[in-house]
């Protein structure tokens, strides 16, 4: 049964997650929040809210990722050793295997960092520090989860696909029309890009619990009276044991893509003689990027290893930019403009990571 706004209340009542009385009393508001999954927010005044996710596809990969996410939440919230991690992820409520439906606690009074960026055209330094600290804490659980039989088997232990293109080939990109085939052709027109991406593969480490998709959309900041209180990291369906520098790279990518999209929007506004949006360049965002990195390095206890770690994260940002082409341009007709800009950014990062680190953070890589 696919969940809909019509049948979801009946499903939740059948699972004992809400009462019929709460529906009758009007203490039940349902909001659809679907993207690639069927997502629903269940809002209640008298009881905690719920977030319900159900996959749309019955493909093996979709099934495995939601099962991994459900098992991850269950394991973290059932073991007191992971208490600090449990405090920064949604609380597990229920998983129905026959329907591939996952129910989690709803993060109340929260806004995603992406939504904040759309409103304010900035990521405040205190928000960046929240992300850096939370990510550093989460990554530190890698060794304990590797040593724990209950969690060790949850993960696929996979390196990101841009690092393995020479092994897997380009044909899988045909499954992401219309951008996938264009991206495939564009990479192959840049003969030095794939070898540089492949050279990242030997750098990959398996020492951290990684989120796998650490973008601003998946960082929810709760606040009260305008004061930020807590960060919740959601959407752990790609959780894995891997290299923590990959999640750091994904956050770096968010800033870079924001600057690229902003530059394109400003050029378009100028061409149409319209007011331009506020400029967002790497230079204007540098304090925020630096706040994120410093908080992460401190939480992770990098110390003398910080320079080498930052170098790896900057290089990984290039690989993450390749994936970003699919994410940001899949419904866009602007591949011919933005796609090459993003790929050239990836090349620049790989060719001169020290320069890129200095531009982004103001900290040289030693």
């Amino acid at each position: 049964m696919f969940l809909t706004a019509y049948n979801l209340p009946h499903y939740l009542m059948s699972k004992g997650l809400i009462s019929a009385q709460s529906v009758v009393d009007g203490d039940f508001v349902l909001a659809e929040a679907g993207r690639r999954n069927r997502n629903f927010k269940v809002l209640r005044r008298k009881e905690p809210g719920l977030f319900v996710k159900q996959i749309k596809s019955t493909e093996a990969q979709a099934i495995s990722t939601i099962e991994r996410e459900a098992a991850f939440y269950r394991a973290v919230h059932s073991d007191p050793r992971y208490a600090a991690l449990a405090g920064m992820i949604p609380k597990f409520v229920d998983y129905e295997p026959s329907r591939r439906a996952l129910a989690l606690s709803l993060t109340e009074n929260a806004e995603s960092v992406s939504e904040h960026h759309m409103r304010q055209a900035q990521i405040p330094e205190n928000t960046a520090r929240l992300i850096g600290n939370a990510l550093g804490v989460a990554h530190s659980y890698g060794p304990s989860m590797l040593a724990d039989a209950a969690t060790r088997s949850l993960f696929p232990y996979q390196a990101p696909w841009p690092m393995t293109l020479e092994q897997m080939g380009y044909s899988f990109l045909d499954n992401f029309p219309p951008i996938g085939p264009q991206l495939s052709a564009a990479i192959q027109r840049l003969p030095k890009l794939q070898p540089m991406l492949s050279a990242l593969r030997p750098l990959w480490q398996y020492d951290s619990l990684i989120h796998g998709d650490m973008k601003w959309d998946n960082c929810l900041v709760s606040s009260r009276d305008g004061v930020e209180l807590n960060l919740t990291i959601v959407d752990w369906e790609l959780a894995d044991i891997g290299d923590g520098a990959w999640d750091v790279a994904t956050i770096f990518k968010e800033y870079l893509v924001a600057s690229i999209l902003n530059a394109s929007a400003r050029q378009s506004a100028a061409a149409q003689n319209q007011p331009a949006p506020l400029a967002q360049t790497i230079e204007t965002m540098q304090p925020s990027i630096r706040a994120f990195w410093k908080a992460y390095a401190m939480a992770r206890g990098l110390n003398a290893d910080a320079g080498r770690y930052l170098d790896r994260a900057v290089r990984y940002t290039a690989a993450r930019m390749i994936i970003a082409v699919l994410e940001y341009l899949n419904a866009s007709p602007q591949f011919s403009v933005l796609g090459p800009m993003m790929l050239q950014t990836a090349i620049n990062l790989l060719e001169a990571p020290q320069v890129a680190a200095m531009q982004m953070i103001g900290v040289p890589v030693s």
Side-chain angles (χ1 to χ4, degrees), residues 51-271:
F51 181 83
V52 181
K53 171 194 288 190
Q54 183 185 44
I55 58 174
K56 293 180 180 179
S57 170
T58 57
E59 294 180 355
Q61 182 178 5
I63 293 172
S64 68
T65 54
I66 197 166
E67 289 181 342
R68 186 195 321 174
E69 184 175 14
F72 171 78
Y73 288 129
R74 184 188 288 114
V76 170
H77 285 288
S78 63
D79 192 328
R81 291 177 297 174
Y82 304 131
L85 179 60
M88 65 177 70
I89 69 174
K91 183 179 179 181
F92 176 81
V93 176
D94 181 76
Y95 180 64
E96 176 52 61
S98 65
R99 293 183 173 86
R100 312 284 195 254
L102 173 63
L104 304 167
S105 62
L106 183 67
T107 305
E108 306 281 359
N109 302 314
E111 177 183 53
S112 76
V113 174
S114 180
E115 290 170 330
H116 179 94
H117 181 258
M118 291 179 65
R119 284 194 304 104
Q120 301 291 335
Q122 65 171 331
I123 303 298
E125 291 179 46
N126 57 333
T127 302
R129 291 189 192 96
L130 282 176
I131 299 172
N133 181 72
L135 200 54
V137 171
H139 286 172
S140 67
Y141 281 94
S144 57
M145 287 199 162
L146 273 172
D148 184 353
T151 54
R152 186 170 57 243
S153 61
L154 297 181
F155 306 112
Y157 303 92
Q158 292 180 339
W161 63 259
M163 301 181 188
T164 61
L165 276 173
E166 84 288 352
Q167 298 171 345
M168 63 189 302
Y170 293 84
S171 59
F172 79 99
L173 287 170
D174 294 336
N175 298 321
F176 301 93
I179 293 299
Q182 296 181 63
L183 174 60
S184 172
I187 295 174
Q188 294 178 75
R189 285 196 297 268
L190 300 168
K192 60 183 177 180
L193 180 54
Q194 181 186 309
M196 288 193 294
L197 290 170
S198 298
L200 299 177
R201 182 66 185 86
L203 304 179
W204 189 259
Q205 300 183 21
Y206 295 93
D207 62 355
S208 303
L209 167 67
I210 64 172
H211 180 276
D213 194 20
M214 259 304 295
K215 52 194 177 188
W216 290 338
D217 275 345
N218 293 329
C219 298
L220 306 184
V221 179
S222 303
S223 60
R224 185 180 297 116
D225 298 327
V227 179
E228 294 181 343
L229 302 175
N230 188 48
L231 178 79
T232 302
I233 303 174
V234 302
D235 203 4
W236 286 82
E237 61 185 39
L238 298 181
D240 204 352
I241 298 297
D243 197 326
W246 179 254
D247 282 345
V248 174
T250 305
I251 296 298
F252 287 165
K253 176 270 302 179
E254 292 284 82
Y255 287 100
L256 290 173
V257 170
S259 69
I260 291 172
L261 295 179
N262 178 261
S264 177
R266 289 177 62 81
Q267 290 175 1
S268 178

Side-chain angles (χ1 to χ4, degrees), residues 300-349:
R300 196 70 197 276
L302 294 180
N303 300 320
D305 294 329
R308 289 189 295 273
Y309 202 99
L310 177 58
D311 178 80
R312 199 163 74 251
V314 170
R315 294 174 191 271
Y316 287 171
T317 306
R320 195 59 183 79
M321 289 292 292
I322 306 300
I323 301 175
V325 173
L326 292 180
E327 294 174 331
Y328 288 87
L329 304 185
N330 195 44
S332 171
Q334 299 189 64
F335 179 84
S336 60
V337 177
L338 295 176
M341 291 174 64
M342 295 170 76
L343 293 181
Q344 185 58 53
T345 299
I347 291 174
N348 295 344
L349 290 166

